[in-house]
Amino acid sequence: MHAPVSLHISTFLPRFYITSLQCSILLCGVAIATSIYLILRSERKKAAVGRREMQLFLLGYIVIEICEIFTVGEFPLKSSVRIAFTGIHIGFIIATTWILMLNAVVGYQIIDDGTPMSLGLMIASALVLLIGTGYIALDTGFSWTNYWDSSYDAPKFRNIALYVLYQLAPLVFLVAFFVLEAILVLRVLGETRPMIYLGVAALLFALGQIFNYVVSKYICDGTSGKIDGAMFETLFTLLSVVTIWVFWSSITEDDWPMPVGNTYP
């Protein structure tokens, strides 16, 4: 009879780390495929308000997930390439959340949706945020001008510009989106059921951020840094994006209403 063998959980951590890394990349792939599917589904909703604008949001989310494969997913890359993807990633986060907020504005029909003016203003303003934020992030990483080198000064390692653009601005845009949509649904449309989808989307996004900023520390400590909350953040953000699309679909028409009665003389 063999003596009992004592196994410590750390024995399995390297293998689990590989699995966790693969899961992060896999989830990004699922998010990209899901977004493409939603873009195609949106194309069928011919009469839907903000159809093109919603597709723009999904395209931005696809780029974010592609960047996450090489940043959050810890795909093996040279440091310079990773810095480039990180800069693009940060730039698209703020640009995409801005587009999402404008999607809520589109619902008020201040400007006709899907028109060159509507799409042009949305794309142009998003490009300003993308280029501006991306430049600051890349200049910080590559030290092109050395203007942001103070970000590397210990012990603070602080970059106020990136903090505002990467952390605060997207949060403001998201809060504005949820508030504007809630007013639109409750006051303008006079409905309550879509608020369930909107509330679930907000909850799922909040859970993702909790895993990323709060729970992640405890996951890292418990696994000696082998796993963090990024994988869960990717999952909950994906579910939130899908729920936002379901919410948008629930308050829009799939097709133009057919005329009632005999139209022939």
Side-chain angles (χ1 to χ4, degrees), residues 52-53 56 112-124:
R52 296 302 183 197
E53 290 80 359
L56 276 179
D112 290 340
D113 64 286
T115 61
M117 178 177 290
S118 175
L119 296 175
L121 289 174
M122 182 174 287
I123 294 173

Side-chain angles (χ1 to χ4, degrees), residues 220-236:
C220 284
D221 292 344
T223 59
S224 301
K226 303 298 189 300
I227 309 170
D228 58 23
M231 179 177 67
F232 302 98
E233 187 270 341
T234 301
L235 172 62
F236 283 114

Side-chain angles (χ1 to χ4, degrees), residues 44-207:
R44 298 180 183 178
K45 297 174 67 68
K46 301 298 183 181
V49 174
R51 175 168 59 109
R52 296 302 183 197
E53 290 80 359
M54 176 56 67
Q55 289 175 323
L56 276 179
F57 164 68
L58 292 172
L59 285 173
Y61 178 64
I62 287 174
V63 177
I64 290 174
E65 292 308 302
I66 292 174
C67 292
E68 281 194 9
I69 292 176
F70 301 103
T71 54
V72 178
E74 299 182 19
F75 200 87
L77 292 171
K78 292 182 178 180
S79 60
S80 59
V81 178
R82 191 179 304 281
I83 290 173
F85 272 109
T86 301
I88 297 171
H89 188 198
I90 293 174
F92 264 93
I93 285 175
I94 186 171
T96 303
T97 52
W98 170 257
I99 290 174
L100 180 62
M101 186 194 72
L102 292 184
N103 266 266
V105 177
V106 166
Y108 289 86
Q109 292 288 275
I110 299 173
I111 300 176
D112 290 340
D113 64 286
T115 61
M117 178 177 290
S118 175
L119 296 175
L121 289 174
M122 182 174 287
I123 294 173
S125 57
L127 280 176
V128 170
L129 292 173
L130 170 63
I131 295 172
T133 305
Y135 169 76
I136 294 175
L138 293 174
D139 193 9
T140 301
F142 291 113
S143 297
W144 290 331
T145 64
N146 299 319
Y147 183 82
W148 309 101
D149 286 356
S150 59
S151 305
Y152 298 101
D153 294 342
K156 295 183 178 180
F157 299 104
R158 183 172 62 183
N159 188 316
I160 297 177
L162 276 184
Y163 174 76
V164 171
L165 291 170
Y166 176 51
Q167 299 288 341
L168 297 184
L171 180 61
V172 171
F173 297 157
L174 289 172
V175 171
F177 167 78
F178 286 111
V179 171
L180 288 171
E181 291 289 21
I183 295 174
L184 177 67
V185 171
L186 296 175
R187 294 289 184 88
V188 179
L189 301 180
E191 299 184 19
T192 55
R193 184 175 180 180
M195 289 299 300
I196 298 175
Y197 303 127
L198 191 64
V200 171
L203 177 61
L204 288 170
F205 178 79
L207 285 173

Side-chain angles (χ1 to χ4, degrees), residues 32-42 44 58 62 245:
I32 293 170
T34 302
S35 299
I36 293 174
Y37 171 74
L38 293 179
I39 289 174
L40 296 177
R41 281 291 303 272
S42 301
R44 298 180 183 178
L58 292 172
I62 287 174
W245 187 91

